Amino acid sequence: MRFYRTGDPNDVNEAFDLKIELESLRASILKDKALKFNLKDLTAKHPRKVIMYGLLLMALNQFCGCFPMMNFTASIFNESGSNLSPNLSSIIVGAVQIIGAMSCTFLVEKAGRKILISASAFSIFFGLSVKSAYTFATSRGYDLSDFSWIPLVSFSFVMCVYNWGVNTLPFLYVSEIVQSKYKTFTMSFCLSMLFIFSTIVIQV
């Protein structure tokens, strides 16, 4: 079976053999099926390390504070003292989230998973610090009416960088570093812990 990649129509198309690729994939699948998962295998160093990384990334995903911020966007803007409409601010933040998620697809291959997750986490810290400083100053009675744009800008910035890495890449990163034999258990366990963490964060 022989297929062709379409390049410049003026050039001769390069042929590649799809049958070799299919045989390689078939052999890989059969090899994975032959490996039976056992809970005792988790005592090995590699699966323990991967599960630890997975738990840390799931905890970062929830305890960075962005998930509850998305659920209470209008209330946060209303209580932060911003002069902008909470509903309008929520719409703007939602649009920024889409931009952040789309930009992640372009940045991840250039910057790498680790760098992008780290940059996303530190950027969230910076954005939340600015937002907290504004809210604290407002609660102390300082007149910041000339800076009413700060909550929207800092909030939008946090949501954008959140979708760069902390929100999107933990699942991809864990699935890539875990061996096929442990992938089903590891991903299921990490997702279960993610839901537990999100429940705790929303309730608190």
Side-chain angles (χ1 to χ4, degrees):
M1 189 184 299
R2 195 168 287 275
F3 290 83
Y4 298 90
R5 276 201 298 259
T6 303
D8 190 336
N10 297 323
D11 297 333
V12 178
N13 294 331
E14 295 181 0
F16 69 97
D17 197 348
L18 184 62
K19 187 176 181 180
I20 297 176
E21 292 293 331
L22 291 175
E23 290 296 333
S24 177
L25 290 173
R26 186 179 292 112
S28 177
I29 293 172
L30 293 175
K31 181 180 178 181
D32 291 340
K33 286 184 177 180
L35 298 173
K36 293 184 178 180
F37 172 73
N38 193 312
L39 287 176
K40 293 182 179 180
D41 296 332
L42 297 178
T43 57
K45 184 178 180 180
H46 176 74
R48 283 191 290 111
K49 185 181 291 187
V50 171
I51 290 175
M52 182 187 70
Y53 287 155
L55 288 177
L56 289 174
L57 290 172
M58 297 304 122
L60 175 63
N61 180 282
Q62 292 300 313
F63 292 116
C64 69
C66 293
F67 183 68
M69 287 172 67
M70 288 188 292
N71 286 272
F72 303 105
T73 302
S75 301
I76 291 172
F77 276 107
N78 188 42
E79 295 177 7
S80 65
S82 174
N83 294 332
L84 297 175
S85 168
N87 293 328
L88 177 61
S89 300
S90 301
I91 294 173
I92 295 174
V93 170
V96 170
Q97 282 185 265
I98 296 175
I99 296 173
M102 293 177 63
S103 63
C104 174
T105 59
F106 300 102
L107 293 172
V108 65
E109 295 300 333
K110 293 184 178 180
R113 280 102 168 116
K114 291 181 180 180
I115 294 177
L116 202 56
I117 290 175
S118 301
S120 176
F122 283 110
S123 299
I124 289 172
F125 170 76
F126 173 75
L128 291 179
S129 298
V130 174
K131 174 70 174 60
S132 300
Y134 180 90
T135 304
F136 177 77
T138 303
S139 65
R140 289 286 181 171
Y142 292 98
D143 183 16
L144 299 178
S145 56
D146 294 336
F147 302 96
S148 60
W149 49 269
I150 289 181
L152 177 60
V153 172
S154 60
F155 201 116
S156 300
F157 173 76
V158 168
M159 289 297 108
C160 182
V161 297
Y162 175 62
N163 284 278
W164 275 2
V166 173
N167 184 38
T168 52
L169 294 183
F171 312 98
L172 175 64
Y173 183 71
V174 174
S175 66
E176 287 182 344
I177 64 175
V178 67
Q179 294 178 355
S180 300
K181 182 178 180 179
Y182 314 106
K183 183 170 291 187
T184 302
F185 173 83
T186 302
M187 295 305 298
S188 300
F189 179 74
C190 288
L191 286 174
S192 300
M193 295 305 300
L194 176 72
F195 295 136
I196 292 175
F197 293 155
S198 64
T199 302
I200 294 172
V201 169
I202 291 296
Q203 292 298 322
V204 173

